[in-house]
Amino acid sequence: MLLRGRARRAREAHAGSGDVPPRQGDRRGETDPLDAAQERRVRAVLALGGVPQADLPDGVQQVRLRLLERAASGREAPRDVSAWAAVVASNLAMDWHRAKRRQERLGERLAALRQTEHPSGEDSSVLSVAVAQGLDELPDAQRQVVVLRFYADLPVRSIAEQLGIPEGTVKSRLHTAVRALRARLHEDEVV
């Protein structure tokens, strides 16, 4: 809901100025600031960060809007747009969690996403749900670096630069999070 409101306000603001932000597929002389691979990555980061599938298009629009606003303000484009977009998506997911107070569990959403995208065996589904539930139990900062490292496939250095924290902090959070996830999977007898 938070994402929809922001996206709607952004579209209304652009509509009032006559400058409509481009959507994928639009050919109005401007290109989409996110290519297809970047959009998939943003969607994955949002989904793994806990945003329901119904809100994913709005989250992707928010990332596009922020990229366009950055360009319009005259600021330099990010060196790695894909990494920048993944971090913005991760921050949006954290915002969504704060606004929604985690009304829906990440495990249910991830299981539904996995089933629609990649039908797999029962063992794989059980593991996916267990990992998603473990991710949901991690503190926000740990979940953010795990999602950026293992699902958005960003290197530690890029995560540190984008989040504005030392590489050692990223490594420490990853280590602690992976240890907690491993313990959770053993506790649930999934692995």
Side-chain angles (χ1 to χ4, degrees):
M1 300 299 196
L2 174 71
L3 297 176
R4 286 186 184 144
R6 286 183 181 170
R8 183 177 24 76
R9 285 192 300 275
R11 284 192 296 269
E12 289 169 358
H14 281 288
S17 69
D19 187 23
V20 178
R23 292 180 185 233
Q24 195 158 14
D26 279 359
R27 302 290 178 229
R28 296 184 186 150
E30 287 196 45
T31 60
D32 191 335
L34 296 177
D35 65 30
Q38 292 166 336
E39 181 175 340
R40 281 192 305 274
R41 178 185 263 185
V42 165
R43 283 180 171 278
V45 169
L46 288 168
L48 290 164
V51 176
Q53 270 198 290
D55 289 340
L56 292 180
D58 294 321
V60 172
Q61 280 299 97
Q62 275 296 311
V63 173
R64 282 188 179 102
L65 179 63
R66 291 195 184 169
L67 190 57
L68 291 170
E69 286 173 340
R70 182 181 177 113
S73 70
R75 288 189 292 170
E76 186 177 319
R79 274 190 313 175
D80 185 350
V81 173
S82 189
W84 181 89
V87 170
V88 170
S90 181
N91 289 336
L92 286 172
M94 289 175 63
D95 290 347
W96 185 89
H97 271 290
R98 289 184 191 109
K100 290 306 227 173
R101 298 191 189 261
R102 296 185 184 179
Q103 293 177 355
E104 299 176 26
R105 296 195 49 94
L106 179 62
E108 297 163 358
R109 291 185 301 272
L110 182 60
L113 180 64
R114 283 267 193 228
Q115 289 173 356
T116 59
E117 286 188 357
H118 305 289
S120 59
E122 184 178 323
D123 289 343
S124 179
S125 293
V126 169
L127 180 60
S128 293
V129 170
V131 169
Q133 288 172 340
L135 277 172
D136 195 38
E137 292 173 0
L138 291 175
D140 288 343
Q142 289 178 11
R143 181 178 47 250
Q144 184 178 35
V145 295
V146 167
V147 168
L148 290 172
R149 177 66 187 107
F150 298 113
Y151 293 95
D153 200 29
L154 294 179
V156 170
R157 173 174 281 145
S158 183
I159 294 169
E161 288 174 1
Q162 296 297 323
L163 295 179
I165 59 177
E167 285 183 47
T169 302
V170 173
K171 291 176 184 178
S172 172
R173 289 178 184 173
L174 281 171
H175 175 77
T176 304
V178 168
R179 187 175 58 207
L181 286 172
R182 185 178 297 126
R184 164 66 190 249
L185 294 176
H186 284 294
E187 181 182 297
D188 291 349
E189 298 179 359
V190 176
V191 291

